[in-house]
Amino acid sequence: MSSVPERLAEVLPVVRDHADRCDAEARFPSESVDALRATGLMGLLVPEEHGGLGADLRTFAETAQTLAGACLSTAMIWAMHGQQVDAVVRHAGPRLAGELLPRIARGGMYLASVTTEPGKGGHLLSADAALTAERHLLHFDRTGPVVTGAAHADGFLITLRAAPDAPAHQVSLVYAAREQTAVEPVGDWNPLGMRGTHSTGIRLKGAVPAGQLVGGEGEFRTVAVDSMVPVGHIAWASCWLGAARSGYQRLVRLLTSRGRPRGIDLASPLTTERLARIRTDLELVSGYLHGVIAEIGQARATGADTADPAVQIHLNTLKIAASELAFGATDRMVQLAGLTLGYQRDSPLGLERLFRDLRSAALNYANDRLLTSNGSLCLLDRGVRLLSAAPAASPASAVDTPVDGPAPGHVSP
Ligand SMILES: Cc1cc2nc3c(=O)[nH]c(=O)nc-3n(C[C@H](O)[C@H](O)[C@H](O)COP(=O)(O)OP(=O)(O)OC[C@H]3O[C@@H](n4cnc5c(N)ncnc54)[C@H](O)[C@@H]3O)c2cc1C
């Protein structure tokens, strides 16, 4: 059986070959996703007993980084699918998991995410459209204004208000297969960057049996805190870091090649300072990403609660820092490479697309939301438990952690 790097080696040429055209045409990289399906990589996080590769979060993050070096849009499609898969693995009932996971492992299912909603916007832990129970089925009519790969998804994980009379924060997560829903396109996708994600708007109308709830009724918050937020933030940070690192590799290789542009003086302290600043940003994101992966891995191994304020702060910090530093590093690369090599669309360095793509990082779950949330969480972590290499203390034993724990509205996004 092939290893993950061997499978990746099969996929990467396809991903590279289609990246430019998908960006130019703002179209879904079907060829690349088909290659991911064929090599079993869509089932990377599916446990082996369901036919998947049973990989851990570190392998997931490394794979996302490598894919992002070839095409950030393809990497984000794949990584966000992985985020949905993790939610199914950890929170679907045995019957739904038994049905879905082998199909995902075989490459027969790309799972899209529907959490953003008109009106409430990006806010993850609330929903407007509600589920209505009728004759053993849960009915829904839900618009998703930004759904990555909506036109190509085989199934959707959708957040919905638990019932018509439920408050906005009582949210259920529902799995709906494409054939269980009428999918109507809403709007177009013509953004500055991340064009290959083809994140169009859709309206989904359908009905599913109650067994297709992922997590308990009205308990999406538990799924979000345990799975969607940790895996989502690790996925995004990995993709952004992988893309920025790959741009930096191309830049450094060019500068150290025989054909290096004579206009860039490697002996100038201005050049070396810029190179060092970019490297510093990438090192910081990489170090923090590995720290968070270790913390979440430890929490999963010991059953520690990821709702702990310090853990939530670390997860949000990862997303904020990775989005800002990866984009900042790219901006510096453009400045260092100059107009012809850095800014032109057809430059072999490919920094122009990278710059456009990474501009979305701070918006893809608004950093404003995470920063305001983190500010409130900081008041609950009076011990100021910074991310460390040491195993995370359990919330009960953490120094100076308030006994009442985080308020529901304060968790993450
Ligand atoms: C490439 C890409 C792919 C995506 N894929 C998906 C997908 O598959 N599924 C999905 O559901 N969503 C997806 N999204 C949407 C994403 O998850 C966010 O919901 C979306 O980017 C947020 O958009 P927004 O800034 O309009 O909304 P909001 O987050 O609602 O923010 C609206 C405005 O309010 C501001 N704001 C936020 N908090 C505060 C505050 N406290 N005070 C003042 N102002 C504040 C924000 O800065 C922003 O200007 C994707 C986004 C991108 C970029």
Side-chain angles (χ1 to χ4, degrees), residues 75-85 111 113 148 235-236 364:
M76 285 291 268
I77 291 164
W78 177 83
M80 291 197 289
H81 160 82
Q83 177 194 29
Q84 310 307 300
V85 172
L111 266 181
S113 159
T148 291
W236 290 337
N364 191 353

Side-chain angles (χ1 to χ4, degrees), residues 166-298:
H169 65 264
Q170 211 172 307
V171 177
S172 295
L173 184 66
V174 170
Y175 163 70
R178 177 170 279 273
E179 54 272 19
Q180 291 173 313
T181 57
V183 185
E184 184 192 319
V186 180
D188 208 359
W189 177 249
N190 188 19
L192 177 70
M194 300 307 293
R195 292 168 60 80
T197 62
H198 202 245
S199 303
T200 49
I202 46 169
R203 181 174 173 196
L204 293 167
K205 256 177 109 168
V208 296
Q212 290 188 205
L213 284 178
V214 176
E217 185 186 342
E219 288 179 15
F220 171 63
R221 184 175 176 276
T222 306
V223 182
V225 168
D226 175 72
S227 167
M228 274 207 177
V229 173
V231 179
H233 290 196
I234 288 168
W236 290 337
S238 302
C239 288
W240 299 328
L241 176 64
R245 178 184 178 220
S246 167
Y248 190 58
Q249 261 175 358
R250 293 192 294 275
L251 178 62
V252 171
R253 282 177 189 163
L254 181 76
L255 293 181
T256 52
S257 71
R258 281 178 187 278
R260 105 182 137 76
R262 297 297 147 194
I264 302 175
D265 179 5
L266 294 188
S268 156
L270 189 60
T271 305
T272 49
E273 193 264 357
R274 280 179 179 155
L275 283 168
R277 291 269 175 212
I278 298 164
R279 178 72 184 236
T280 303
D281 287 349
L282 301 182
E283 292 286 352
L284 290 174
V285 177
S286 180
Y288 205 84
L289 172 64
H290 282 96
V292 167
I293 291 171
E295 185 168 64
I296 297 302
Q298 176 80 16

Side-chain angles (χ1 to χ4, degrees), residues 47-68:
E48 284 172 337
E49 68 259 33
H50 290 289
L53 302 182
D56 59 13
L57 288 178
R58 187 173 293 272
T59 307
F60 172 65
E62 280 165 8
T63 308
Q65 283 185 59
T66 307
L67 278 173

